[in-house]
Amino acid sequence: MLDNSQYIEKLRSSGLRPTKQRIKICEVLFNSEKTFHFTINELVKRISKSTNDKISLATVYNTVHAFKNKGYLKEIPINSDQSYFDTNTSHHHHFYDETQKDLIDIDDADVEPVKINTRIPGKKIKSVEVLVKVEDDKS
Amino acid sequence: MLDNSQYIEKLRSSGLRPTKQRIKICEVLFNSEKTFHFTINELVKRISKSTNDKISLATVYNTVHAFKNKGYLKEIPINSDQSYFDTNTSHHHHFYDETQKDLIDIDDADVEPVKINTRIPGKKIKSVEVLVKVEDDKS
DNA sequence: CAACAGTTTAGAACTATTATAATGTAGAAA
DNA sequence: TTTCTACATTATAATAGTTCTAAACTGTTG
Ligand SMILES: [Mn+2]
Ligand SMILES: [Mn+2]
Ligand SMILES: [Zn+2]
Ligand SMILES: [Zn+2]
């Protein structure tokens, strides 16, 4: 929970001009106690609920990608027709409920550290993500 | 490495009519010693290299989805503009080279079994997939 | 063979995402 | 404060992977 001046500082220190659109998007993304997952469309809805000034879809895409590049958001790899993002940038994994198309954090304490005992020469590891797909238990 | 009569049997026993398109796609997918990863476009290219009879794009999509539903193919979750499929349906994980947009199997022996010590009530686990993103090592 | 459900197909439709290019603005310099 | 300019926003078009449609075709069964 930060106030606007802190977002302005955060944006400035990232080399991003603190425009009113970016500040608003910061509020929507980071002004809540709990982190959450979202698609671009869901974010657009959250934004329009919390302001009267419309932000164009292109700006939402641009800003989400900028924040992702700066490390303020993560993109979660799922097979879906749309991208999912996460305001929780700490190391953790996910359940994906295929029935409800819903992402759920797995507390990092509930997952044994994933050990990969092999490497690709000339490449370095950027991330290690576990996705646990679940479905309704009919049995 | 199976011959056509075995594909015909495999298709029949799955409730799929053994059409010449499906048999051809079986050959392209399963007639090699090594398993591999592919996108729909790459599969279309492989098909046209190995036959003169064109198979329509819609049929390729239909068949890949049918095979996936029958468990003959897996879809690999990646953030990409296109879907990746895998002819290796045994349990294993992947490196994804973001530079070359290339999927590489991780031998299951090189990964400690992933233990998830929590569940979602009413849901059962369908799959547990580890994706290790790598990039060029410039350091 | 006849009948029919399942399959293939070309092409249209759909939709998430990206590109374009004109307009606007934050921040620094004069 | 005014000017300047690189960066940002925006409406809109373009792109592209995927799915849909509906007509033609085919494998299977009786
Ligand atoms: Mn998909
Ligand atoms: Mn993406
Ligand atoms: Zn998360
Ligand atoms: Zn694989």
Side-chain angles (χ1 to χ4, degrees), chain A residues 37 76 86 88 92-94 105:
Chain A
H37 309 109
I76 310 299
D86 197 340
N88 181 354
H92 68 288
H93 303 296
H94 294 92
D105 277 352

Side-chain angles (χ1 to χ4, degrees), chain A:
Chain A
M1 180 77 87
L2 303 174
D3 60 20
N4 285 5
S5 66
Q6 288 178 277
Y7 293 134
I8 290 171
E9 189 45 42
K10 177 175 178 157
L11 289 165
R12 273 220 186 83
S13 68
S14 311
L16 297 172
R17 285 190 185 167
T19 64
K20 67 179 195 302
Q21 290 87 349
R22 284 171 175 165
I23 294 165
K24 168 54 67 182
I25 292 173
C26 277
E27 288 175 24
V28 172
L29 290 176
F30 307 122
N31 251 5
S32 66
E33 203 55 44
K34 289 175 182 144
T35 61
F36 60 95
H37 309 109
F38 63 92
T39 63
I40 296 290
N41 264 328
E42 290 165 358
L43 179 55
V44 166
K45 282 182 203 157
R46 279 174 185 259
I47 292 167
S48 38
K49 272 180 198 157
S50 75
T51 183
N52 293 317
D53 310 320
K54 176 159 30 194
I55 299 179
S56 80
L57 183 60
T59 296
V60 177
Y61 271 100
N62 290 342
T63 303
V64 165
H65 285 138
F67 287 3
K68 178 192 165 191
N69 289 337
K70 295 297 178 183
Y72 304 147
L73 291 173
K74 286 202 304 184
E75 189 172 1
I76 310 299
I78 319 176
N79 285 328
S80 168
D81 52 343
Q82 56 201 319
S83 291
Y84 280 77
F85 296 91
D86 197 340
T87 67
N88 181 354
T89 57
S90 69
H91 185 268
H92 68 288
H93 303 296
H94 294 92
F95 289 114
Y96 183 60
D97 183 337
E98 294 201 318
T99 312
Q100 306 193 211
K101 298 193 178 308
D102 194 26
L103 265 180
I104 300 151
D105 277 352
I106 302 178
D107 192 301
D108 217 31
D110 288 329
V111 184
E112 312 284 319
V114 179
K115 281 184 92 174
I116 311 291
N117 299 321
T118 183
R119 288 300 122 97
I120 302 183
K123 306 282 176 179
K124 69 163 179 284
I125 290 179
K126 246 182 108 176
S127 65
V128 177
E129 308 226 28
V130 178
L131 184 68
V132 181
K133 290 187 182 169
V134 301
E135 64 183 353
D136 284 351
D137 187 0
K138 307 162 192 143
S139 63

Side-chain angles (χ1 to χ4, degrees), chain B residues 2-130:
Chain B
L2 303 174
D3 61 21
N4 285 5
S5 65
Q6 288 178 277
Y7 293 134
I8 290 170
E9 189 43 43
K10 177 175 177 157
L11 289 165
R12 273 220 187 82
S13 67
S14 312
L16 299 171
R17 286 189 184 168
T19 63
K20 67 179 196 301
Q21 292 87 349
R22 284 171 175 166
I23 295 166
K24 167 53 67 181
I25 293 174
C26 277
E27 288 175 23
V28 172
L29 290 177
F30 308 121
N31 251 7
S32 66
E33 203 54 46
K34 288 176 184 146
T35 62
F36 60 93
H37 309 109
F38 64 91
T39 63
I40 296 291
N41 265 327
E42 290 165 358
L43 178 56
V44 167
K45 282 182 203 156
R46 279 173 184 259
I47 292 167
S48 39
K49 271 179 197 155
S50 76
T51 183
N52 293 317
D53 309 321
K54 177 161 25 197
I55 299 180
S56 81
L57 183 58
T59 296
V60 177
Y61 272 100
N62 290 342
T63 303
V64 165
H65 285 139
F67 287 4
K68 179 192 166 190
N69 289 337
K70 294 297 178 185
Y72 305 147
L73 292 174
K74 284 203 306 185
E75 189 172 1
I76 310 300
I78 320 176
N79 286 327
S80 168
D81 51 344
Q82 57 200 316
S83 291
Y84 280 78
F85 296 90
D86 198 340
T87 67
N88 180 354
T89 57
S90 69
H91 185 268
H92 68 288
H93 303 297
H94 294 91
F95 289 114
Y96 182 62
D97 182 338
E98 294 201 317
T99 311
Q100 306 191 210
K101 299 193 178 306
D102 194 27
L103 265 180
I104 301 151
D105 277 351
I106 302 178
D107 192 300
D108 217 31
D110 288 329
V111 184
E112 312 284 320
V114 179
K115 281 184 91 175
I116 311 290
N117 300 320
T118 183
R119 288 301 122 97
I120 301 184
K123 306 281 175 178
K124 69 162 177 284
I125 291 179
K126 244 182 111 177
S127 65
V128 177
E129 307 227 28
V130 178

